[in-house]
Amino acid sequence: MSIRRTEGSKPTVLPTISSEARPKSAAKTPTAANVIKDGFGPAAKTSDLARAESTLKPLPPPVGRLALDSKEAQSAIQTALQHLDVGTKLPSQGLRGGIQYPSFVPKNVERDELGMTHVRLDRQHEGVKVYGEQVVAHLAKDGKVDSVTGDQTKIPSGLGTQKPALSNAQVLDIALKEFNGTPDRQPHSERIIYKDPSGEYRSAYRVEVADTTATENPRKMNYFIDANSGKVYEKFNTIDGFKNCPCATHGTGDAAATKGAAGTKGAAAAPADVKVSTTPNAQIKDKGSVTSKVTVADDVTVDKLKLSLDITHSYKGDLKVTLTSPSGKTFDVHNRTGGSADNIKQDFDLSAFAGESAKGEWTLKVSDHAAGDKGKLVKWGLSITPKATQQPPTDPTTPTTPGAADDTSIYSGKVALETKKQADGTYTLEDGTRGKGVATYDARNQEEASGQTQIKDDNNVWGEATDPERNRAAVDAHYGAAMTYDFLKNILGRDSIDGKGEKLVSYVHVSENFVNAYWDGEKMSYGDGDGVDSGPLTALDIAGHEIAHGLTERTAGLIYRGESGGLNEAFSDIMGAGVEWYASTQNPAVKFNWTIGETAWTPTNGDDTDGLRYMDDPKKDNYSIDNYKDYPKQTEVHGSSGIANNAFYLLANGGTNRTSKIEVKDGIGMEKGLKIYYRALAHYMTPSTTFAQARTATIKAATDLYGADSAEVAKVKESWTAVGVN
């Protein structure tokens, strides 16, 4: 991506109505004052009207996305195309085989709060779309082209006009074979010009095959297939998800402590079960033993205790399994019984530990007592029901507005939900006060979210102890979508993700024990978690992260692989953090930090030392990178997102990059940082933007907002330099 500043073409000037063109009756000057019959006095003279009109200020032009067929958008498009036609002379435009092909097709036009208009155009070559290549023309207030974003490299002639050897049906068959599953919607294919991984342009097809059911990970696969040979150049999944991230493992290892879904903030009065688990995957050598430990952080007394074991072994009769409590009490869970029955995969009710203090280190020992067999301790965990005398955590009760916040969420304390009253007197989670709406529905534990099954409440006070348990996750999902809308509107000046008030739809209770949340291009789907690895995946920063994928789709469209994919993930983390930060300014129960997903991630629930990713120190998860010099070693989009994540953290907060040791002093704050990154995403990035081009885009955005010589521009440069992007 490059940004060229030009003098641009002359602005389009719309003709005014002259006195000669006016109707005759309007041109006449009255010879005497006219008297209005209703008694309100004489009509204003023409000279009076002229003086009044001269004092009126014209209304400012609308901000946001313009309808492509509107007069304003068409004028901007023509100005942009005229400039590109004169200034670029691209090899893809002009005559091919006697046919005139346009080089660009308008995608959208947006006017920003500074009065600039941004015309985003998809590139074409000989009538065929060039995948992932766009040009954005930036028009200043005066209507002239100020600069142009986007690379336009030479494409060999004939790639668009030559008839492909393979048909749409044939490439669909190739893609379906690669997909190896049953799509849940009609596959889609389109003819494209594709730049392959080596940098050469090819005649190709892009085929999209999707299955968004939640049995495993939802997929919306993109396949890039040579239009003549059928070679599959590339494939990737465009649906992100909480569980899709390879870094979605608990950083505390065997010492992980968890509170389970019911033990999170906002729980009902009953004492919550405490759950701990670990996955050692430790080999049990023949006639050897394995010891594994977990730590319970909660100071509770055991009423009931369940041990879950997953041991693979070729001869169960060889094994002895012993559990030891923090006090040193030992119990033989299994002692060489079962004969030749393989494996131990079951739950054990261990009432022998009733009355014990749960807090501290629990030890499991597995010993092989006979020769000839070996196995593996795959996973084990404890579920502890505390005695009822244990007091549960209390909910925050300070409302955002006195008397307004009476709905109890899982993760955000007391909140105020906008709902809809139905004819039968019940209330549903449908908010008509934000854009075209915010709605939350029940997926009924189906694998694919669909329909409009209402979630209802009798008195419009949501999350009470007497309410159905199923309502609790819905409160957070509805609140998360509302806060995301408000964040976009009040901080970034955008009317929902499309700039035109797009309705935000969420589904809760997707599948069973589903540890995932994702945006599928149209809606949000939230799993309830499994109570071991996670609670309901409806935390504020997760909601903001996933819905922000929709924002990216409707703006820059960053392709979900390579450097653009790392930026795509980073922008969702940045916007997710922005939603949590914004909510914390409205709701004292929300605590902002730089960790992603920690409130729903249960081993140390709500603790910012145990989350999905860490923007202040990306390498903390032992997967992500924080500096571009390590990019060749880690190109997976979640792992490489740490580069831009840390750049944003350093910009907003200040700090030191762990890898480079470069310090950025005195960050510019969240609001300014968010405005800069959003402006870069919405107006200066294209689908194929790289990290270096992202630096350029954010510098340009900061220059627009604060001036070329501003401290904000200097800090943008410093922060990218600290993460190795120059």
Side-chain angles (χ1 to χ4, degrees), residues 563 566-567 628 631 640-641 643-644 689-695 720 725:
E563 294 193 28
L567 287 167
Y628 189 72
Y631 179 74
S640 67
S641 69
I643 298 169
T689 292
T690 64
F691 285 109
Q693 291 167 344
R695 174 190 169 109
W720 281 111
V725 177

Side-chain angles (χ1 to χ4, degrees), residues 503-521:
K503 187 175 183 179
L504 299 180
V505 178
S506 302
Y507 286 84
V508 292
H509 309 307
V510 175
S511 192
E512 298 274 359
N513 298 319
F514 187 48
V515 186
N516 212 344
Y518 60 92
W519 170 264
D520 70 1

